[in-house]
Amino acid sequence: MARGFPYTDLKDFVAALERAGELRRVSVPVDPTLEISEVVTRTVRAHGPALLFERPTRGEMPVAINLFGTERRMAMALGVDRLDEVGERIGAMIKPELPVGWSGIREGLGKAMQLKSLPPRKVKTAPCQEVVYRDGDVDLNRLPGLQVWPGDGGIFHNYGLTHTKHPETGKRNLGLYRLQQHSHNTLGMHWQIHKDSTAHHAVAERRGERLPVAIAIGCDPVVSYAASAPLPSDIDEYLFAGFLRGERVEMVDCLTVPLQVPAHAQIVLEGYLEPGERLPEGPFGDHTGFYTPVEPFPVLHIECMTMQRDPVYHSIITSKPPQEDHGLGKATERIFLPLLKMLIPDIVDYDLPAAGVFHNCAIVSIRKRYPKHAQKIMNAIWGAHLMSLTKLIVIVDEDCDVHDYNEVAFRAFGNVDYARDLLLTEGPVDHLDHSSYQQFWGGKAGIDATRKLPTEGYTRGWPEEMTMSPEVTALVDKRWKEYGLP
């Protein structure tokens, strides 16, 4: 059921969280250098509320943070009671006659978007351009950017939605990348090797051209989520956001670059990348729990900065789990389940543990039908878009609840002969992975924790798992109060 959705902008969402008792205001001065990070980290680990720091000691506006830190708040952000509702909507629109495989995912998601027919809508004027700073008046120090960890290379803006276009095709991309503040009007663009914006920049450099870039900070919660979603490159993020919202996203032309941004963003930064220009970026304490090293990345020169009157600045803290990105990761897990099942129909369910930062480990349940079925599923997952970055895959039978980690551990520890049921391979890993001996690729493992079949060489006869008889269970349920036990 919708909850008064959609929210017009970030301020609406903040107000809704406050009404629901899911947000607390911090009215005393708090330093964006380290202090906010420590307060937020303690709050997240106590399963606490979203926070609005009303008086940061740097910048000219309040900081909204931990907005997506629980599954409940993430569901509120998407206007649903359960995160599975969105995946169920997509699944209901995807017909079985669509082709299985990656082309089926593109066609299925595209069909779901088209059925709703909710492309973005252009407007002529927008709240995000109520205040305009150009050229020498641009000053990033107006923003309360954060230094999250002591070893960070400086101030970072951690929830800037980055807009680019392919220089030849004009195809738009929306991505979420960290932004290091180099000066009052330049930012380091940490877009990783597997990201679409990296490809846009490479084409621009090959052509010897500047790449226009626009960054929107403080968008409505659905657009903010859509920027993080692992969509196929030919699915427009704003079409996806319109589907999630049930309403078109209003977009406005930027003032100085040939791009469009959400009309209701709180802040917009417009600029360009010079071909061939790089500056050292980092170190940065990332969601892996470790500092990522200094590397050369492109530099964004900001020529125009626009914002709403009385804007709210949105950011996020990165650290080892648990952290605020738990809600974002779980939303992706549940929303994309029907699409993953379209690609690999034998999948029943899957779980991406937060402790594995959502791409290091996948637990997958299957309907096992033939020898080495689990190994087939492993290889299919390693060939599935950004699931290809998964380092560890644990395959269990369909009667195992993949979200019950104790049950999964029981199967993985007890059902596996590691001389036969462990598949080792190599392939691409996340840009931020510090454990791989070579950057961008490394070792992977698949664990077959399913019941083994005689046709797989298991000739001993798989034992029956112990369960209590239904009659005794019903008897004890009926007599429980008589036992005098809590």
Side-chain angles (χ1 to χ4, degrees):
M1 297 292 291
R3 302 174 182 272
F5 186 80
Y7 313 104
T8 301
D9 65 4
L10 174 63
K11 294 175 185 174
D12 276 357
F13 182 51
V14 166
L17 290 175
E18 190 166 29
R19 287 193 300 271
E22 287 283 343
L23 180 138
R24 294 288 297 273
R25 294 173 180 265
V26 180
S27 59
V28 297
V30 185
D31 193 342
T33 297
L34 304 181
E35 188 179 7
I36 284 181
S37 172
E38 179 66 11
V39 172
V40 173
T41 298
R42 293 189 190 191
T43 301
V44 169
R45 291 176 182 173
H47 307 289
L51 300 173
L52 185 68
F53 292 93
E54 297 181 308
R55 297 170 61 193
T57 58
R58 177 172 58 248
E60 301 174 353
M61 60 199 70
V63 178
I65 202 162
N66 196 26
L67 302 184
F68 308 130
T70 65
E71 291 184 41
R72 180 180 184 227
R73 287 201 293 279
M74 193 67 237
M76 287 183 65
L78 299 179
V80 296
D81 292 315
R82 300 176 299 108
L83 292 176
D84 281 297
E85 288 181 39
V86 181
E88 290 163 3
R89 283 173 57 201
I90 294 173
M93 294 179 183
I94 297 173
K95 303 301 181 185
E97 65 267 18
L98 286 169
V100 172
W102 187 239
S103 63
I105 284 188
R106 288 199 309 270
E107 290 185 37
L109 188 53
K111 184 172 183 179
M113 304 301 102
Q114 291 164 10
L115 282 171
K116 283 299 189 180
S117 187
L118 294 172
R121 181 169 68 92
K122 181 180 174 181
V123 297
K124 293 183 178 180
T125 60
C128 70
Q129 295 173 346
E130 290 173 340
V131 180
V132 178
Y133 300 99
R134 295 177 185 263
D135 303 322
D137 292 327
V138 170
D139 188 359
L140 292 172
N141 295 309
R142 300 178 191 277
L143 309 180
L146 305 182
Q147 181 178 346
V148 174
W149 295 103
D152 284 355
I155 295 170
F156 287 81
H157 304 279
N158 292 339
Y159 220 109
L161 277 57
T162 301
H163 300 72
T164 59
K165 277 186 179 180
H166 192 287
E168 294 175 345
T169 68
K171 175 71 174 66
R172 171 173 53 206
N173 183 68
L174 171 65
L176 179 60
Y177 317 110
R178 76 184 191 224
L179 306 162
Q180 182 173 0
Q181 185 170 318
H182 289 317
S183 71
H184 74 283
N185 64 353
T186 57
L187 293 170
M189 305 295 297
H190 187 274
W191 44 38
Q192 300 161 24
I193 190 171
H194 305 108
K195 305 300 184 180
D196 292 327
S197 290
T198 306
H200 293 185
H201 185 226
V203 172
E205 287 198 313
R206 189 184 71 230
R207 292 161 58 103
E209 299 173 354
R210 289 178 168 179
L211 182 71
V213 177
I215 295 169
I217 299 174
C219 296
D220 80 70
V222 170
V223 169
S224 293
Y225 167 70
S228 75
L231 295 170
S233 61
D234 52 356
I235 298 293
D236 183 82
E237 287 85 1
Y238 283 105
L239 192 65
F240 183 55
F243 167 78
L244 294 176
R245 287 168 56 98
E247 180 179 279
R248 296 185 179 196
V249 178
E250 292 187 344
M251 308 286 288
V252 68
D253 287 339
C254 290
L255 301 181
T256 62
V257 292
L259 297 166
Q260 292 183 343
V261 290
H264 295 276
Q266 300 293 302
I267 302 141
V268 176
L269 309 175
E270 303 176 11
Y272 61 89
L273 305 177
E274 285 284 3
E277 184 181 17
R278 304 287 190 279
L279 280 179
E281 193 272 355
F284 179 75
D286 221 309
H287 66 281
T288 60
F290 296 87
Y291 290 103
T292 51
V294 175
E295 293 183 88
F297 277 95
V299 181
L300 177 63
H301 297 264
I302 299 166
E303 295 187 312
C304 184
M305 178 177 182
T306 73
M307 60 184 68
Q308 293 191 20
R309 295 187 185 90
D310 302 318
V312 174
Y313 177 86
H314 180 207
S315 193
I316 190 170
I317 299 298
T318 54
S319 77
K320 68 180 180 181
Q323 195 45 269
E324 180 184 351
D325 60 0
H326 170 82
L328 294 165
K330 279 297 169 184
T332 292
E333 175 196 289
R334 303 328 299 165
I335 289 170
F336 285 84
L337 174 60
L339 298 170
L340 187 61
K341 290 169 76 170
M342 172 178 286
L343 178 66
I344 312 169
D346 293 325
I347 287 179
V348 175
D349 199 358
Y350 78 129
D351 184 280
L352 304 175
V357 296
F358 298 104
H359 55 71
N360 284 338
C361 177
I363 303 164
V364 182
S365 59
I366 66 168
R367 293 184 185 90
K368 184 171 178 176
R369 296 186 290 112
Y370 47 79
K372 298 299 179 182
H373 195 170
Q375 286 76 2
K376 174 195 172 184
I377 300 298
M378 295 170 195
N379 285 300
I381 291 171
W382 281 321
H385 195 36
L386 289 182
M387 290 292 287
S388 65
L389 303 181
T390 307
K391 294 203 295 183
L392 174 65
I393 300 173
V394 181
I395 307 290
V396 294
D397 288 300
E398 64 181 308
D399 62 347
C400 178
D401 180 358
V402 294
H403 310 295
D404 182 344
Y405 297 156
N406 287 330
E407 178 66 16
V408 171
F410 173 75
R411 308 283 182 114
F413 298 163
N415 281 7
V416 178
D417 177 342
Y418 285 94
R420 293 174 176 264
D421 302 331
L422 178 66
L423 176 63
L424 298 177
T425 187
E426 292 180 331
V429 298
D430 189 78
H431 189 128
L432 304 178
D433 191 295
H434 61 280
S435 66
S436 58
Y437 283 57
Q438 302 288 329
Q439 192 174 30
F440 308 131
W441 65 274
K444 297 165 179 284
I447 297 174
D448 178 2
T450 62
R451 299 176 182 88
K452 304 309 180 297
L453 305 173
T455 47
E456 292 176 299
Y458 187 88
T459 59
R460 298 172 56 196
W462 195 261
E464 180 183 356
E465 186 176 342
M466 300 172 298
T467 58
M468 183 52 68
S469 65
E471 296 82 8
V472 173
T473 300
L475 172 67
V476 171
D477 286 344
K478 182 178 180 180
R479 296 196 59 198
W480 189 256
K481 290 183 179 179
E482 295 180 40
Y483 306 144
L485 298 173

